[in-house]
C-alpha cells in the first residue's frame, strides 16, 4: 500500500506547496509565479486522467500504442515550442524519436522490458520525457549561442568553413551541456537521490536488488537516448531547421 494516502490532508499539503512555490517565485522576482500554479494544476488534472486511462489501456495493445504515440506527440510539440516558433517546431519530433525509439526497441527486443502495457508505458514515458528535456535545452542553448555570437560564425565562414560547420563550432559546446543533468543523476544515484523507478519498485513489493537492476537499466537507457537526442538537435540547429524566435 502506498505510504501517501489520497486524503484531505494530502490535498491541503499539495495546495500549500504549490502556493509556496508561486510565492517564492513572485517575491523573488523570478517571473514564473503564475506558471508554478498553472503547472501544478495541470499536473494534478493530467495525472488523475492518466491514471484512469492507464488502468483501462494496459491490457489493450492498440490502446497502449495510441497512448505512447500521444506521449510522443506532446513531447515533440513541447520541446519544439521551447526552441522556436511557427512550423519549425515540428522538427523537434526528429531528435525525440531518434533518441527514444531505438533505445526502447532494444529494451523490448532483448526482452529486458516485457512487451506489456504496464511496463511499456512507463518506460516509454521516461525515455520520451528525457528526450523532451534535452532536446528543448540543447536546442535553446544552441540557437541562443548562434544569435549572440553571430560575428564568430561569420568569421568562421570567412575562413572557409561551411555554414553547418561554422554553426557547429559555435553552438555545440554550449548545447552539449544539456547532457550534464542525466550524467550527474547517473553518477550520484544511490548516494544523493533514489530515483522514481527504484522507489516505485520498492513500494510495489520488489526486492532492493530487483529495484536496483530496474533503475540501472532506466538510467543507462536514458543516457543513450538523451545523448542521441542532443546530437540530432545540434545537427538540426546547425542546418538551420530551428530558426531563432522573432
Amino acid at each position: 500500500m502506498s505510504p501517501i494516502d489520497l486524503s484531505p490532508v494530502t490535498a491541503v499539503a499539495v495546495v500549500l506547496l504549490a502556493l509556496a512555490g508561486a510565492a517564492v517565485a513572485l517575491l523573488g522576482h523570478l517571473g514564473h509565479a503564475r506558471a508554478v500554479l498553472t503547472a501544478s494544476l495541470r499536473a494534478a488534472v493530467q495525472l488523475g486522467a492518466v491514471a484512469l486511462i492507464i488502468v483501462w489501456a494496459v491490457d489493450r495493445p492498440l490502446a497502449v500504442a495510441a497512448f505512447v504515440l500521444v506521449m510522443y506527440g506532446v513531447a515533440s510539440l513541447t520541446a519544439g515550442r521551447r526552441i522556436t516558433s511557427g512550423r519549425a517546431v515540428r522538427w523537434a519530433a526528429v531528435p525525440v524519436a531518434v533518441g527514444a525509439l531505438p533505445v526502447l526497441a532494444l529494451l523490448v527486443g532483448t526482452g529486458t522490458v516485457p512487451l506489456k502495457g504496464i511496463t511499456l508505458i512507463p518506460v516509454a514515458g521516461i525515455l520520451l520525457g528525457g528526450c523532451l528535456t534535452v532536446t528543448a535545452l540543447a536546442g535553446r542553448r544552441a540557437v541562443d549561442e548562434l544569435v549572440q555570437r553571430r560575428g564568430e560564425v561569420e568569421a568562421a565562414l570567412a575562413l572557409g568553413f561551411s555554414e553547418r560547420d561554422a554553426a557547429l563550432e559555435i553552438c555545440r559546446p554550449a548545447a552539449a551541456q544539456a547532457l550534464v543533468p542525466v550524467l550527474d543523476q547517473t553518477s550520484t544515484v544511490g548516494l544523493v537521490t533514489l530515483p522514481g523507478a527504484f522507489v516505485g519498485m520498492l513500494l510495489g513489493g520488489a526486492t532492493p536488488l530487483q529495484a536496483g537492476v530496474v533503475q540501472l537499466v532506466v538510467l543507462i537507457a536514458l543516457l543513450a537516448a538523451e545523448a542521441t537526442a542532443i546530437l540530432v538537435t545540434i545537427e538540426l540547429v546547425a542546418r538551420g531547421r530551428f530558426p531563432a524566435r522573432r
Side-chain angles (χ1 to χ4, degrees):
M1 185 175 70
S2 171
I4 300 178
D5 296 324
L6 180 59
S7 67
V9 174
T10 302
V12 170
V14 171
V15 170
L16 289 177
L17 288 171
L19 291 174
V24 170
L26 179 64
L27 296 176
H29 303 287
L30 302 180
H32 296 289
R34 180 176 296 180
V36 170
L37 294 177
T38 302
S40 300
L41 179 59
R42 286 187 59 176
V45 173
Q46 290 166 190
L47 284 173
V50 165
L52 295 175
I53 293 172
I54 289 179
V55 169
W56 172 81
V58 287
D59 295 323
R60 296 172 170 84
L62 290 179
V64 171
F67 194 87
V68 172
L69 285 175
V70 169
M71 288 194 295
Y72 166 62
V74 173
S76 301
L77 183 60
T78 303
R81 286 177 172 174
R82 292 293 186 186
I83 302 170
T84 187
S85 58
R87 303 182 67 179
V89 301
R90 297 178 299 177
W91 281 101
V94 178
V96 173
V98 174
L101 183 58
V103 174
L104 184 60
L106 176 63
L107 293 176
V108 173
T110 58
T112 304
V113 172
L115 191 57
K116 298 179 180 179
I118 195 64
T119 52
L120 193 59
I121 289 175
V123 171
I126 290 171
L127 293 175
L128 289 170
C131 289
L132 182 166
T133 300
V134 297
T135 296
L137 186 56
R140 288 190 66 171
R141 287 186 174 181
V143 170
D144 288 346
E145 284 291 294
L146 292 181
V147 171
Q148 296 170 8
R149 301 171 62 185
R150 184 60 194 173
E152 295 176 55
V153 176
E154 293 176 351
L157 292 173
L159 292 174
F161 283 73
S162 67
E163 185 75 33
R164 169 188 172 274
D165 291 342
L168 284 176
E169 286 294 318
I170 301 304
C171 74
R172 181 161 46 197
Q177 294 301 307
L179 194 62
V180 170
V182 72
L183 286 172
D184 289 343
Q185 182 185 27
T186 303
S187 62
T188 62
V189 65
L191 299 176
V192 178
T193 61
L194 294 177
F198 182 85
V199 175
M201 289 289 292
L202 289 179
L203 294 177
T207 67
L209 181 58
Q210 291 172 324
V213 170
V214 170
Q215 186 61 68
L216 179 63
V217 170
V218 169
L219 286 173
I220 302 303
L222 267 177
L223 271 175
E226 292 188 17
T228 304
I230 291 171
L231 178 65
V232 175
T233 300
I234 295 172
E235 185 67 31
L236 290 173
V237 172
R239 294 177 180 272
R241 299 297 186 264
F242 290 122
R245 293 176 180 272
R246 296 179 179 178

